Amino acid sequence: MPLLAVLQGRALKQIYMRFTHAIVRQPGVNFADGITGAQLGQPDYRRALAQHEAYCQALMSAGLQLSILEADERYPDGCFVEDTAVVCPTLAIITRPGNAARQGEEGAIARALAAHKNLIYVQPPGLLDGGDVLQVHEHFFIGLSKRTNEVGAQQLASWLASQGYTSSTVPVSGVLHLKTGVTYLGQDHYIGLPAFEGLIPHASFIPVETEESYCANCLAINDHLLMPAGFPGVKARLQELPYTLLEVDMSEFEKMDGGLSCLSLLF
Ligand code: CIR
């Protein structure tokens, strides 16, 4: 295909890919009962709620219209909505979360998405967490992790193929999800742990140091970029990029192994 056609296709895709909506879900009073491997202490519910509100404000200042779902105390990890769906332009794939304690969270998300998308459901024995799905334009990287198995990845791959997307799997170890380790920022920029450098050839990769590894998960929304507050090294690097950079305090979510992308579903 001529280069001009490729570039025009990519430009069209980028226009098409502009996000206008987000679904979020408030943390519940029993947020601290969720799953975590982080040894950062107990999260404070009031502080988590305030941080969640500030996160919602950041999404709105990036131009998104929000659907804010109420907490459901049956699911202490329910605010991490990213794991419950993979959203494409016309289709949403409702996941089957890889930790049994989280199965069921996807019901409320499916109801919220049904107003906007056709829905397809991951079927047993497939397991899939949205945090393992990294979209780079028309290609999806699917992490095989403790939460996402081969069957779940294959189901997702075939539905994505039906929508004209390509995909490939990536082994994930040492982090919870693929996107805990690497984020695509757009415009051929990535940020992530050194172990993920090379995932996408020819891209510009910002490696994060161990003490700032939480910043491997950022959130790109059109021309805005959300990063966790309190990481000056990464901030200095991201300020060089052509995005409106917003810092969001994520301390209480970090205690529960959640990052910026985990708290929303964008479409
Ligand atoms: C969990 O372990 O499932 C939650 N405590 C954190 C989920 C974070 N989600 C994500 O990285 N996509």
Side-chain angles (χ1 to χ4, degrees):
M1 191 183 293
L3 181 62
L4 187 59
V6 172
L7 293 176
Q8 283 172 339
R10 176 164 284 199
L12 281 173
K13 201 98 186 172
Q14 282 174 352
I15 292 164
Y16 190 56
M17 279 295 301
R18 277 189 83 80
F19 296 117
T20 54
H21 288 77
I23 294 175
V24 298
R25 193 179 207 175
Q26 292 175 319
V29 285
N30 60 346
F31 171 62
D33 294 339
I35 311 154
T36 186
Q39 295 181 332
L40 298 170
Q42 280 268 112
D44 178 88
Y45 165 63
R46 292 272 153 221
R47 199 172 302 145
L49 207 54
Q51 290 180 354
H52 195 266
E53 274 176 34
Y55 178 85
C56 291
Q57 287 297 332
L59 296 187
M60 287 190 283
S61 65
L64 300 184
Q65 187 180 323
L66 300 197
S67 299
I68 304 177
L69 308 186
E70 285 182 6
D72 179 338
E73 287 171 35
R74 289 174 297 169
Y75 304 113
D77 278 311
C79 60
F80 299 117
V81 292
E82 174 184 53
D83 293 321
T84 59
V86 177
V87 187
C88 298
T90 57
L91 185 72
I93 294 112
I94 305 299
T95 69
R96 186 163 176 265
N99 185 301
R102 298 196 58 190
Q103 289 174 4
E105 287 178 22
E106 68 280 7
I109 303 299
R111 286 191 289 281
L113 279 169
H116 305 273
K117 308 283 173 184
N118 295 319
L119 304 183
I120 283 183
Y121 291 80
V122 173
Q123 300 296 327
L127 295 171
L128 181 74
D129 273 12
D132 279 318
V133 183
L134 173 67
Q135 182 175 6
V136 180
H137 303 286
E138 49 268 68
H139 188 82
F140 285 72
F141 294 93
I142 309 171
L144 295 175
S145 69
K146 288 188 178 144
R147 301 289 179 89
T148 296
N149 64 11
E150 292 270 6
V151 181
Q154 273 166 14
Q155 290 179 25
L156 177 61
S158 71
W159 290 318
L160 291 173
S162 77
Q163 303 297 303
Y165 294 98
T166 56
S167 64
S168 54
T169 55
V170 181
V172 174
S173 61
V175 286
L176 178 60
H177 291 121
L178 176 59
K179 280 192 282 190
T180 320
V182 61
T183 301
Y184 180 57
L185 304 175
Q187 302 181 35
D188 284 334
H189 295 294
Y190 297 76
I191 186 167
L193 305 177
F196 291 94
E197 187 163 4
L199 181 67
I200 299 112
H202 313 305
S204 130
F205 188 89
I206 300 172
V208 293
E209 307 293 335
T210 309
E211 60 275 17
E212 297 204 336
S213 61
Y214 185 61
C215 294
N217 183 274
C218 291
L219 183 62
I221 307 171
N222 306 330
D223 49 358
H224 285 65
L225 179 58
L226 273 58
M227 70 165 290
F231 298 94
V234 167
K235 183 178 175 184
R237 295 294 308 274
L238 293 180
Q239 278 173 327
E240 294 166 9
L241 300 181
Y243 303 106
T244 302
L245 190 62
L246 301 176
E247 286 183 278
V248 182
D249 192 351
M250 289 289 291
S251 65
E252 304 316 291
F253 300 101
E254 184 180 8
K255 290 173 184 172
M256 300 307 294
D257 280 341
L260 277 164
S261 71
C262 318
L263 290 178
S264 56
L265 278 166
L266 308 183
F267 56 96

